[in-house]
Amino acid sequence: MPRGRKLTPLGLTDDQREQLEAWSRSTSMPHGLVLRARIILASAEGLTNTAVARQLGISLPTVGKWRKRFLDVGVQGLHDDARPGAPRTYDDEKVAAVIHRALHERAKGSRTWSVRQMADEEGISKSTVQRWFSLFGVKPHLSKTFKLSNDPFFIEKVRDITGLYLNPPDHAVAICVDERTQIQALDRTQPILPSGFGCAEGYTHDYIRHGTTTLFAALDVASGNVTARCRKRHRHQEWLSFLRLIDRETPEELDLHLVCDNYATHKHAKVRAWIAKNPRIHLHFPPTYASWLNQVERWLALLSQRAIKRQTLHSVTDLKRKIMAFCEHYNESPKPFVWVATADSIFEKLNQLCKHINGTAD
């Protein structure tokens, strides 16, 4: 006959049993939590504390402790209690003062704060400053550029182009067009050192400049396909020739909506006259200083990163060949850029930026 007081049945609900079984099988959760889940599951089967302790190879007091904790608190009681630990060395006021100083004051003799400078000024360790900077996302050593548009029709143009991306018109093709001028054919003065284990690729800082070319590129917003041509110059004649190429390659039954920047050659009198004779072509100009609205800029950045930078180019012909090879490879499996920003979301971000500039941000 079993001796001792009668144990209170646990009576697991279906949700509790499912959660505990998942914990008991886990290989990523803390071992202590897995063990406690197994204790409760075994106890719920009607086993005595002694039998559970013998089955799991643990002490009898351990079984009793977690069984009682589960009865009192439930599944959440199986987690460890917060431990007090050592008292804090610095209070919240000290942390706030350091962060405020990093954001609103300049270091002596320097434009920005470094971790060591702040540690020396405040009389604390650099690892503590580093931890606080990391915790609050403070990065005084980094900077980024921006430019606010001064276009008087900024709102109308943003709504026009974002509407074209998010809700394109029927029976039409939206194409982003631009040119990248002065692409240099740079030949390094010494051979490039290949990368290796623990060794980055190396190339000389100086170069021989063999010449330049201008790339005209057109990105189909819907398909991601790119049409590209290299030309010696970037006058209105070359621009008009490229527009005619796009016109020929687009089915006649579709309207053409072209997004292009405010470069002078794009608004030349002869270009305007040709556009007037082709009513199916509609031009959309982003606001000034807002080239980021033109999706082909993202593709041109990919081209620069993957096909032009860190190259050894022996001639302009070699440069053109590499550019066109990249375009052909890209068009084998083109992927359109997914545009998700609405006009209102753009205006909200700019509103927050203006508040930061004016010092009125929350």
Side-chain angles (χ1 to χ4, degrees):
M1 175 180 295
R3 293 183 296 178
R5 62 182 178 179
K6 186 177 180 179
L7 297 175
T8 304
L10 297 182
L12 298 181
T13 65
D14 292 339
D15 291 340
Q16 288 176 332
R17 184 177 295 277
E18 182 179 356
Q19 185 175 3
L20 291 172
E21 288 179 349
W23 287 3
S24 68
R25 295 190 300 267
S26 176
T27 58
S28 59
M29 298 183 70
H31 175 70
L33 194 58
V34 174
L35 179 61
R36 294 160 205 166
R38 292 174 180 173
I39 291 173
I40 302 304
L41 289 172
S43 300
E45 298 297 328
L47 297 179
T48 63
N49 288 359
T50 303
V52 174
R54 187 181 303 113
Q55 177 181 317
L56 298 178
I58 56 179
S59 66
L60 184 61
T62 299
V63 178
K65 171 186 175 181
W66 294 111
R67 181 188 181 101
K68 183 178 185 303
R69 181 78 68 83
F70 180 81
L71 287 170
D72 294 341
V73 185
V75 173
Q76 296 303 319
L78 302 182
H79 292 278
D80 288 316
D81 291 331
R83 300 180 181 181
R88 291 179 58 182
T89 306
Y90 305 102
D91 56 17
D92 292 342
E93 287 72 16
K94 181 63 174 180
V95 178
V98 171
I99 298 301
H100 183 273
R101 189 174 187 182
L103 294 177
H104 299 285
E105 297 182 19
R106 291 189 178 184
K108 295 179 180 179
S110 178
R111 176 66 177 82
T112 59
W113 288 100
S114 68
V115 170
R116 288 179 173 81
Q117 281 179 306
M118 182 63 74
D120 293 340
E121 289 286 333
E122 294 291 334
I124 56 181
S125 68
K126 64 181 182 63
S127 59
T128 299
V129 175
Q130 177 64 51
R131 186 171 64 253
W132 292 350
F133 280 7
S134 177
L135 178 63
F136 291 96
V138 176
K139 303 176 181 179
H141 62 290
L142 295 181
S143 65
K144 60 181 181 180
T145 60
F146 75 96
K147 181 72 173 182
L148 294 178
S149 175
N150 57 4
D151 197 311
F153 299 102
F154 177 80
I155 294 177
E156 292 82 356
K157 291 181 178 180
V158 170
R159 291 196 182 279
D160 175 44
I161 293 178
T162 55
L164 183 65
Y165 293 157
L166 298 174
N167 187 24
D170 297 330
H171 310 294
V173 178
I175 298 179
C176 294
V177 192
D178 198 10
E179 66 261 51
R180 178 61 55 85
T181 63
Q182 298 293 314
I183 303 177
Q184 303 182 81
L186 303 182
D187 191 359
R188 301 296 167 181
T189 58
Q190 296 177 2
I192 293 178
L193 298 177
S195 60
F197 296 107
C199 177
E201 183 180 70
Y203 55 92
T204 59
H205 66 279
D206 56 341
Y207 52 82
I208 300 172
R209 186 172 179 269
H210 291 298
T212 63
T213 188
T214 294
L215 173 67
F216 292 84
L219 171 71
D220 189 324
V221 173
S223 67
N225 193 75
V226 175
T227 301
R229 292 293 185 273
C230 290
R231 296 290 183 263
K232 289 184 178 180
R233 304 174 70 179
H234 53 97
R235 304 168 299 172
H236 74 274
Q237 293 93 327
E238 287 77 17
W239 172 248
L240 188 55
S241 174
F242 190 63
L243 292 182
R244 288 171 176 156
L245 172 64
I246 298 173
D247 183 39
R248 290 194 302 269
E249 293 186 349
T250 304
E252 295 181 358
E253 65 274 11
L254 298 178
D255 284 348
L256 260 173
H257 291 264
L258 303 180
V259 179
C260 53
D261 62 23
N262 295 276
Y263 192 52
T265 58
H266 299 172
K267 300 180 179 180
H268 192 275
K270 292 186 178 180
V271 175
R272 290 181 178 274
W274 183 81
I275 295 293
K277 294 179 182 178
N278 292 270
R280 77 166 183 149
I281 298 180
H282 310 273
L283 297 183
H284 303 260
F285 295 101
T288 54
Y289 309 126
S291 59
W292 41 269
L293 278 169
N294 194 338
Q295 292 191 36
V296 76
E297 292 285 353
R298 178 81 282 272
W299 183 85
L300 290 171
L302 288 178
L303 168 71
S304 178
Q305 177 185 0
R306 299 179 182 179
I308 299 177
K309 285 185 177 180
R310 295 164 50 180
Q311 288 278 11
T312 297
L313 303 167
H314 305 295
S315 64
V316 174
T317 301
D318 191 19
L319 170 62
K320 293 179 180 179
R321 184 168 56 250
K322 283 185 168 57
I323 291 175
M324 298 312 297
F326 174 81
C327 295
E328 292 175 5
H329 177 72
Y330 186 88
N331 285 334
E332 290 176 0
S333 56
K335 293 183 179 180
F337 299 113
V338 180
W339 186 275
V340 297
T342 63
D344 290 337
S345 68
I346 293 172
F347 298 150
E348 178 59 27
K349 289 182 179 180
L350 290 175
N351 182 45
Q352 293 299 323
L353 177 60
C354 290
K355 287 182 178 180
H356 281 288
I357 294 174
N358 296 331
T360 59
D362 297 335

